[in-house]
Amino acid sequence: DSGVTQTPKHLITATGQRVTLRCSPRSGDLSVYWYQQSLDQGLQFLIQYYNGEERAKGNILERFSAQQFPDLHSELNLSSLELGDSALYFCASSVGTGGDQPQHFGDGTRLSIL
Amino acid sequence: QKEVEQDPGPLSVPEGAIVSLNCTYSNSAFQYFMWYRQYSRKGPELLMYTYSSGNKEDGRFTAQVDKSSKYISLFIRDSQPSDSATYLCAMYRSGYSTLTFGKGTMLLVSP
């Protein structure tokens, strides 16, 4: 058990809808990262928050947004969903932000768009 | 050219074999190197973490980094069926806080 909790485990919804994925980091970790994993693209970094502030952005679509709350949990919001958004979404956390801070992953949310 | 290349496999070996998993990378700015193991329907689990060139051993696992060749390896000794999983290499680029992943190699260890 990595200590990173993600809910829900599965989400099934339709095109055009909006969903929210939730992540609770490991106790003591201030950084939260969001990744998307698909069969053809592998693990793709979306966005990072550190202690409530956005720290880095990757290949995140404008339809997607995230935030980190004062209790350090994070939410990833996906809107105007398209079939191509079907994927596994992972959250990871680390103590800090540098390369000497290994990231620990949750078990992901599987999103299926019908 | 992708920044990190990893053969997707699958790599099939018999129980007890020595397994070699590899990644190459193109950007010499990568400084920290990691190996993650991912079981089906689970998140990536950190296995090994190295900074410098050379070898690092942890039980049956040895991580090797050759920065001059931009090549990293993970060796698994006495492989077990429970080692069957996808192995992802990942690395940090200096000045960035995000990981760049390889696409993963699927390993199948048969009893």
Side-chain angles (χ1 to χ4, degrees), chain B residues 40-67:
Chain B
S40 180
R41 301 183 181 280
K42 289 290 201 177
E45 170 195 2
L46 182 64
L47 273 181
M48 299 288 285
Y49 174 81
T50 56
Y51 170 66
S52 56
S53 283
N55 293 353
K56 180 177 180 180
E57 191 173 317
D58 185 0
R60 296 185 296 114
F61 298 92
T62 299
Q64 189 174 79
V65 174
D66 182 347
K67 288 188 177 180

Short mmCIF file of all heavy atoms in Angstrom, two decimals, chain B residues 40-67:
data_model
loop_
_atom_site.label_atom_id
_atom_site.label_comp_id
_atom_site.label_asym_id
_atom_site.label_seq_id
_atom_site.Cartn_x
_atom_site.Cartn_y
_atom_site.Cartn_z
N SER B 40 -1.27 -5.56 -13.03
CA SER B 40 -2.52 -5.24 -13.71
C SER B 40 -3.51 -4.63 -12.73
O SER B 40 -3.67 -5.10 -11.60
CB SER B 40 -3.09 -6.52 -14.33
OG SER B 40 -4.30 -6.26 -14.98
N ARG B 41 -4.15 -3.55 -13.14
CA ARG B 41 -5.17 -2.86 -12.36
C ARG B 41 -4.63 -2.23 -11.07
O ARG B 41 -5.38 -2.00 -10.12
CB ARG B 41 -6.34 -3.79 -12.03
CG ARG B 41 -7.02 -4.35 -13.26
CD ARG B 41 -8.23 -5.20 -12.92
NE ARG B 41 -8.84 -5.75 -14.11
CZ ARG B 41 -9.66 -5.09 -14.90
NH1 ARG B 41 -9.98 -3.84 -14.63
NH2 ARG B 41 -10.17 -5.67 -15.97
N LYS B 42 -3.33 -1.97 -11.06
CA LYS B 42 -2.71 -1.34 -9.89
C LYS B 42 -1.88 -0.14 -10.34
O LYS B 42 -1.56 -0.01 -11.53
CB LYS B 42 -1.80 -2.32 -9.16
CG LYS B 42 -2.55 -3.41 -8.43
CD LYS B 42 -3.28 -2.84 -7.24
CE LYS B 42 -3.62 -3.88 -6.22
NZ LYS B 42 -4.28 -3.30 -5.03
N GLY B 43 -1.51 0.71 -9.40
CA GLY B 43 -0.63 1.82 -9.72
C GLY B 43 0.82 1.40 -9.75
O GLY B 43 1.19 0.36 -9.19
N PRO B 44 1.69 2.18 -10.39
CA PRO B 44 3.12 1.89 -10.39
C PRO B 44 3.66 1.93 -8.96
O PRO B 44 3.33 2.81 -8.18
CB PRO B 44 3.71 3.02 -11.24
CG PRO B 44 2.58 3.52 -12.07
CD PRO B 44 1.37 3.36 -11.23
N GLU B 45 4.53 0.95 -8.68
CA GLU B 45 5.14 0.80 -7.35
C GLU B 45 6.65 1.03 -7.50
O GLU B 45 7.29 0.37 -8.33
CB GLU B 45 4.85 -0.60 -6.82
CG GLU B 45 5.59 -0.99 -5.58
CD GLU B 45 5.51 -2.50 -5.34
OE1 GLU B 45 4.90 -3.21 -6.17
OE2 GLU B 45 6.09 -2.96 -4.35
N LEU B 46 7.20 1.94 -6.73
CA LEU B 46 8.62 2.25 -6.84
C LEU B 46 9.46 1.06 -6.37
O LEU B 46 9.31 0.59 -5.26
CB LEU B 46 8.94 3.49 -6.00
CG LEU B 46 10.38 3.97 -6.05
CD1 LEU B 46 10.76 4.42 -7.46
CD2 LEU B 46 10.60 5.10 -5.05
N LEU B 47 10.38 0.62 -7.25
CA LEU B 47 11.26 -0.51 -6.94
C LEU B 47 12.67 -0.05 -6.60
O LEU B 47 13.24 -0.47 -5.62
CB LEU B 47 11.35 -1.44 -8.16
CG LEU B 47 10.33 -2.54 -8.35
CD1 LEU B 47 10.67 -3.32 -9.62
CD2 LEU B 47 10.27 -3.45 -7.14
N MET B 48 13.22 0.76 -7.48
CA MET B 48 14.61 1.16 -7.35
C MET B 48 14.74 2.62 -7.71
O MET B 48 14.04 3.13 -8.59
CB MET B 48 15.52 0.34 -8.27
CG MET B 48 15.50 -1.14 -8.01
SD MET B 48 16.36 -1.56 -6.48
CE MET B 48 18.07 -1.38 -6.97
N TYR B 49 15.70 3.29 -7.07
CA TYR B 49 15.91 4.72 -7.27
C TYR B 49 17.41 4.98 -7.21
O TYR B 49 18.06 4.63 -6.23
CB TYR B 49 15.19 5.48 -6.15
CG TYR B 49 15.44 6.95 -6.13
CD1 TYR B 49 14.75 7.79 -6.98
CD2 TYR B 49 16.36 7.50 -5.24
CE1 TYR B 49 14.96 9.14 -6.95
CE2 TYR B 49 16.59 8.86 -5.22
CZ TYR B 49 15.88 9.68 -6.07
OH TYR B 49 16.11 11.02 -6.06
N THR B 50 17.96 5.54 -8.28
CA THR B 50 19.41 5.78 -8.32
C THR B 50 19.69 7.18 -8.84
O THR B 50 18.89 7.75 -9.59
CB THR B 50 20.12 4.77 -9.22
OG1 THR B 50 19.52 4.83 -10.53
CG2 THR B 50 20.00 3.36 -8.68
N TYR B 51 20.84 7.69 -8.45
CA TYR B 51 21.24 9.02 -8.89
C TYR B 51 22.47 8.96 -9.78
O TYR B 51 22.49 9.53 -10.85
CB TYR B 51 21.50 9.91 -7.68
CG TYR B 51 22.14 11.24 -8.03
CD1 TYR B 51 21.44 12.18 -8.78
CD2 TYR B 51 23.44 11.53 -7.65
CE1 TYR B 51 22.01 13.39 -9.12
CE2 TYR B 51 24.02 12.76 -7.98
CZ TYR B 51 23.30 13.66 -8.72
OH TYR B 51 23.88 14.86 -9.06
N SER B 52 23.46 8.25 -9.35
CA SER B 52 24.73 8.30 -10.08
C SER B 52 24.89 7.09 -10.99
O SER B 52 24.14 6.12 -10.91
CB SER B 52 25.89 8.36 -9.08
OG SER B 52 25.81 7.26 -8.22
N SER B 53 25.89 7.15 -11.83
CA SER B 53 26.24 5.98 -12.64
C SER B 53 26.74 4.88 -11.72
O SER B 53 27.28 5.14 -10.65
CB SER B 53 27.33 6.34 -13.64
OG SER B 53 26.81 7.06 -14.72
N GLY B 54 26.56 3.63 -12.16
CA GLY B 54 27.00 2.50 -11.36
C GLY B 54 25.84 1.59 -11.03
O GLY B 54 24.78 1.66 -11.65
N ASN B 55 26.06 0.72 -10.06
CA ASN B 55 25.07 -0.29 -9.68
C ASN B 55 24.51 -0.01 -8.31
O ASN B 55 25.19 0.49 -7.43
CB ASN B 55 25.71 -1.68 -9.67
CG ASN B 55 26.11 -2.13 -11.05
OD1 ASN B 55 25.81 -1.49 -12.04
ND2 ASN B 55 26.82 -3.25 -11.12
N LYS B 56 23.23 -0.40 -8.15
CA LYS B 56 22.60 -0.36 -6.83
C LYS B 56 21.81 -1.65 -6.67
O LYS B 56 21.04 -2.01 -7.56
CB LYS B 56 21.67 0.84 -6.70
CG LYS B 56 20.98 0.94 -5.35
CD LYS B 56 20.14 2.18 -5.26
CE LYS B 56 19.45 2.29 -3.93
NZ LYS B 56 18.61 3.51 -3.84
N GLU B 57 22.03 -2.32 -5.56
CA GLU B 57 21.42 -3.63 -5.35
C GLU B 57 20.42 -3.58 -4.21
O GLU B 57 20.65 -2.92 -3.19
CB GLU B 57 22.51 -4.66 -5.05
CG GLU B 57 22.04 -6.09 -5.07
CD GLU B 57 23.21 -7.06 -4.93
OE1 GLU B 57 24.24 -6.84 -5.59
OE2 GLU B 57 23.08 -8.01 -4.15
N ASP B 58 19.30 -4.29 -4.38
CA ASP B 58 18.30 -4.40 -3.32
C ASP B 58 17.66 -5.77 -3.46
O ASP B 58 16.78 -5.99 -4.30
CB ASP B 58 17.25 -3.30 -3.44
CG ASP B 58 16.26 -3.31 -2.29
OD1 ASP B 58 16.37 -4.19 -1.39
OD2 ASP B 58 15.35 -2.45 -2.27
N GLY B 59 18.14 -6.71 -2.64
CA GLY B 59 17.61 -8.07 -2.72
C GLY B 59 17.89 -8.70 -4.07
O GLY B 59 19.05 -8.74 -4.51
N ARG B 60 16.86 -9.16 -4.75
CA ARG B 60 17.06 -9.80 -6.05
C ARG B 60 17.17 -8.79 -7.19
O ARG B 60 17.37 -9.17 -8.35
CB ARG B 60 15.87 -10.75 -6.32
CG ARG B 60 15.75 -11.92 -5.37
CD ARG B 60 14.64 -12.88 -5.78
NE ARG B 60 13.31 -12.25 -5.71
CZ ARG B 60 12.56 -12.02 -6.77
NH1 ARG B 60 12.99 -12.33 -8.00
NH2 ARG B 60 11.36 -11.46 -6.63
N PHE B 61 17.03 -7.52 -6.89
CA PHE B 61 17.01 -6.48 -7.91
C PHE B 61 18.32 -5.69 -7.91
O PHE B 61 18.84 -5.33 -6.86
CB PHE B 61 15.85 -5.51 -7.67
CG PHE B 61 14.49 -6.16 -7.74
CD1 PHE B 61 13.90 -6.65 -6.59
CD2 PHE B 61 13.83 -6.29 -8.95
CE1 PHE B 61 12.64 -7.26 -6.65
CE2 PHE B 61 12.58 -6.90 -9.01
CZ PHE B 61 11.99 -7.38 -7.85
N THR B 62 18.83 -5.42 -9.12
CA THR B 62 20.00 -4.56 -9.30
C THR B 62 19.69 -3.55 -10.39
O THR B 62 19.30 -3.93 -11.49
CB THR B 62 21.25 -5.37 -9.71
OG1 THR B 62 21.55 -6.32 -8.68
CG2 THR B 62 22.45 -4.45 -9.91
N ALA B 63 19.86 -2.28 -10.05
CA ALA B 63 19.70 -1.22 -11.03
C ALA B 63 21.08 -0.75 -11.46
O ALA B 63 21.98 -0.59 -10.64
CB ALA B 63 18.91 -0.06 -10.44
N GLN B 64 21.22 -0.53 -12.76
CA GLN B 64 22.50 -0.12 -13.32
C GLN B 64 22.28 1.12 -14.18
O GLN B 64 21.33 1.16 -14.98
CB GLN B 64 23.06 -1.26 -14.17
CG GLN B 64 24.47 -1.08 -14.65
CD GLN B 64 24.94 -2.34 -15.36
OE1 GLN B 64 24.61 -2.59 -16.52
NE2 GLN B 64 25.70 -3.17 -14.65
N VAL B 65 23.15 2.10 -14.02
CA VAL B 65 23.04 3.34 -14.79
C VAL B 65 24.37 3.59 -15.49
O VAL B 65 25.43 3.56 -14.84
CB VAL B 65 22.70 4.54 -13.89
CG1 VAL B 65 22.74 5.84 -14.69
CG2 VAL B 65 21.33 4.36 -13.24
N ASP B 66 24.31 3.83 -16.77
CA ASP B 66 25.50 4.20 -17.55
C ASP B 66 25.19 5.53 -18.23
O ASP B 66 24.60 5.55 -19.32
CB ASP B 66 25.83 3.11 -18.58
CG ASP B 66 27.08 3.42 -19.37
OD1 ASP B 66 27.56 4.58 -19.30
OD2 ASP B 66 27.58 2.54 -20.07
N LYS B 67 25.58 6.61 -17.60
CA LYS B 67 25.24 7.93 -18.13
C LYS B 67 25.99 8.23 -19.42
O LYS B 67 25.49 8.95 -20.27
CB LYS B 67 25.51 9.01 -17.10
CG LYS B 67 24.52 9.01 -15.94
CD LYS B 67 24.72 10.22 -15.03
CE LYS B 67 23.69 10.26 -13.94
NZ LYS B 67 23.87 11.43 -13.05
#
